Structures are given as C-alpha cells and as structure tokens.
Amino acid sequence: MTTNLHFPITLKLILSTLASLLVITLFFITRTDFSPSSYQPAPAKTIQISSSSTRTKVQSQNSVSCGKIPPSLADALIHYAASNVTPQQTLSEISVTKKVLDKTSPCNFLVFGLGHDSLMWASLNHGGRTIFLDEDESWIRRIAEKFPSLESYHVRYETKVRDAAALMSAARDREECRLGASMDLRVSKCELALKGLPEVVYEREWDLIMVDAPTGFHEDAPGRMSAIYTAGMLARSRKNGETTAVFVHDVDRTVEDEFSMAFLCRDYMTEQEGRLRHFTVPSHWDSNIAGGKYCP
C-alpha cells in the first residue's frame, strides 16, 4: 500500500526532471546553432508591390530583415485564420494547382479573377510574380485597400454568355483565330482575343494561368469565352518552348466545359478534380499551325 501511495509523486518527479532537461537542451541548441551571429543569409532582394485602383507599381528594395516570414505570408496567415469566408474553390480543387506551384514556383502566374483566394495564390507563389485580372473596378479598389501587396488590373469584356455558341462557331471557322500562336494578340482580328489587357500580360511568358473569371452564371454576364481562348493562345505563343499549366474553374457550366475542351484541348487535359480542369499546353511557336487545328 505504501508504494502505491508514493508512485504518483515519483512519476511526477520524473516527468518534471525530463521537462527541465528538455528545456536546458533546447536552450543550448538555440544558443549554439541558431543564434543571430551564426546565421548569415546571402544578400537577397524582396519585391514589394503596391496597388492603386486599377493597377499597381513594383518597387525593389534590399532585404533588411533576416529570419522573418515575408509580410505577404504573414498577411495570408492572419487573414485566413480570422476569416469565415469560404474560397471559391474546394480544398481538393486548390490542391491541384498547389501541386504544380510546389514544383514551379517562384514563377509567373496569371489569374483571371480577383477573389477571396487571391492572397493564397500570391503567397503560394512567393518570390514569383502573380497578377490578377478582374472585371469589377470597385472590387479591385476594395481588395487593394485591404491587401496592397496584390497586383491587380481592371479588364473590360465585350462578350455575353448568350453569344457563346456564335462565338465558338466563328472562332473555329476563322483563320485569324487559329493564328493566335504566331500573331500578337493585341492586333488579332479574332473576336475572342482580349486585346486591351495590361502590356505585361502580352510581354511576359506565363508558367501558370488560372481562369476563374469573369462572371459567367447568367446570360448577360461576360462569360469566360475570351479568357479561355486568350489563355490558350498565351500558352501556345511561348517562345522558350516550355509548356504552360492552364486551370479552368466551374467546368460544370456549358461555356467553361465546351470552350476549355475546344481551345485548351481534351488531349492536353492532365487532370480534373471537382469543377477544376488542369491542362498542360505546349508551345506552338515553332509549329506552322496557320489554317490548321487548335488541338492535335
């Protein structure tokens, strides 16, 4: 009986001693291996992006801090930890793009749409350049005030969902639309080509393109016909011969389903998860596709 009474006291003493030893060990490890004097990172540059109502400016400055997470990542952690807003995509859908970013970032990432998941995309591509294109100027201003690190631009769309079938038929028949890979989209005569985007969109080669905008759930909405076509042509026109990962969300809808298969190609589809399709589109820059087909 006596030993049973003292057993809890003995166990408590052992655990207390082990805890003390652990604290002392951690103290010496941090003093010897991770002290500021022993950690000397290589000089680095950070990119700070400030935003206005319709576009942003990029400024470079020398990094003055070490051992801290970037402000953009800190903002993302705090925002999503404190937010009850659900992103437009599900976890399984987001994971498809994240897998590609894990291999590719830092990279050039073009996103049609500015939403509740934008801070996440920019953070997952930390060190790269992530640009957002949106149809709503007032929404861009609101997001810019809340998250000035995001780079966003306003886009005007001339199409309507109700005209999708006619646009599809015209694009398939017109040679001007098939010349997208070898022609500057800014001077294209194809009705689906977005010609008024910021210059950086045409001048930079994009590693990833996400089409999750513009609005497309009613007949008078602009729809994603032009965004999908333009994404496909930007991917095909890469001069370095690299492939481009193109993602289209909401493929449960007719426009997103049919236009993604027509202009990004069923044979180029890598994966579908839920309402998200992932296409791997090769460069057509060295190919003579004039008068040919969009897809193999």
Side-chain angles (χ1 to χ4, degrees):
M1 294 294 291
T2 305
T3 55
N4 289 338
L5 288 173
H6 285 285
F7 179 74
I9 299 175
T10 305
L11 180 59
K12 187 179 294 183
L13 179 61
I14 292 172
L15 292 175
S16 177
T17 303
L18 288 174
S20 300
L21 288 172
L22 179 61
V23 170
I24 294 170
T25 302
L26 288 173
F27 174 78
F28 280 108
I29 289 174
T30 54
R31 292 281 293 182
T32 56
D33 292 340
F34 299 99
S35 64
S37 61
S38 65
Y39 178 61
Q40 297 179 350
K45 293 248 183 195
T46 57
I47 300 295
Q48 287 194 340
I49 303 175
S50 58
S51 206
S52 63
S53 61
T54 58
R55 59 182 298 127
T56 58
K57 298 179 181 178
V58 181
Q59 297 176 334
S60 297
Q61 67 174 25
N62 289 329
S63 177
V64 295
S65 62
C66 61
K68 293 184 178 179
I69 64 173
S72 60
L73 293 180
D75 288 343
L77 287 170
I78 294 170
H79 170 68
Y80 291 113
S83 176
N84 291 324
V85 178
T86 303
Q88 288 90 328
Q89 298 184 25
T90 66
L91 176 59
S92 58
E93 291 167 352
I94 290 170
S95 298
V96 174
T97 308
K98 180 185 176 297
K99 284 189 297 185
V100 179
L101 282 169
D102 286 343
K103 299 176 182 177
T104 313
S105 65
C107 63
N108 295 319
F109 188 8
L110 177 65
V111 184
F112 287 86
L114 180 67
H116 299 295
D117 51 5
S118 296
L119 191 61
M120 174 191 66
W121 294 131
S123 299
L124 290 174
N125 189 34
H126 174 66
R129 188 167 187 183
T130 306
I131 290 179
F132 301 93
L133 307 176
D134 201 84
E135 69 204 91
D136 189 338
E137 266 188 291
S138 62
W139 175 249
I140 292 175
R141 285 194 293 269
R142 285 175 57 189
I143 296 298
E145 291 173 1
K146 191 172 183 180
F147 304 117
S149 64
L150 296 181
E151 184 177 3
S152 55
Y153 299 89
H154 178 239
V155 178
R156 289 181 174 85
Y157 294 92
E158 306 297 332
T159 56
K160 300 292 183 183
V161 170
R162 62 172 175 266
D163 299 323
L167 288 167
M168 170 75 80
S169 177
R172 281 177 166 171
D173 294 337
R174 294 184 62 183
E175 184 178 355
E176 293 91 339
C177 295
R178 294 193 294 272
L179 288 172
S182 57
M183 178 182 289
D184 191 331
L185 285 171
R186 288 168 286 194
V187 296
S188 173
K189 295 181 180 179
C190 183
E191 292 180 46
L192 283 175
L194 290 172
K195 297 178 275 289
L197 300 177
E199 290 299 305
V200 65
V201 174
Y202 307 107
E203 294 170 357
R204 191 165 289 253
E205 297 200 341
W206 300 99
D207 302 292
L208 280 80
I209 303 176
M210 172 76 72
V211 180
D212 205 0
T215 306
F217 59 86
H218 58 87
E219 290 293 294
D220 290 324
R224 298 177 187 173
M225 299 82 71
S226 292
I228 293 171
Y229 171 85
T230 300
M233 291 305 161
L234 288 172
R236 288 175 173 84
S237 65
R238 291 189 72 173
K239 298 180 181 64
N240 61 10
E242 297 289 334
T243 61
T244 303
V246 183
F247 306 89
V248 179
H249 195 225
D250 297 315
V251 294
D252 56 319
R253 301 192 304 218
T254 301
V255 165
E256 285 80 357
D257 174 31
E258 294 183 355
F259 275 72
S260 66
M261 288 303 191
F263 299 114
L264 298 176
C265 302
R266 185 182 301 274
D267 287 346
Y268 295 156
M269 191 172 79
T270 304
E271 183 179 1
Q272 178 169 340
E273 179 63 49
R275 297 178 297 147
L276 183 82
R277 280 184 191 152
H278 169 205
F279 297 85
T280 303
V281 183
S283 170
H284 285 205
W285 182 256
D286 295 329
S287 303
N288 181 16
I289 63 167
K293 298 180 179 180
Y294 292 104
C295 302

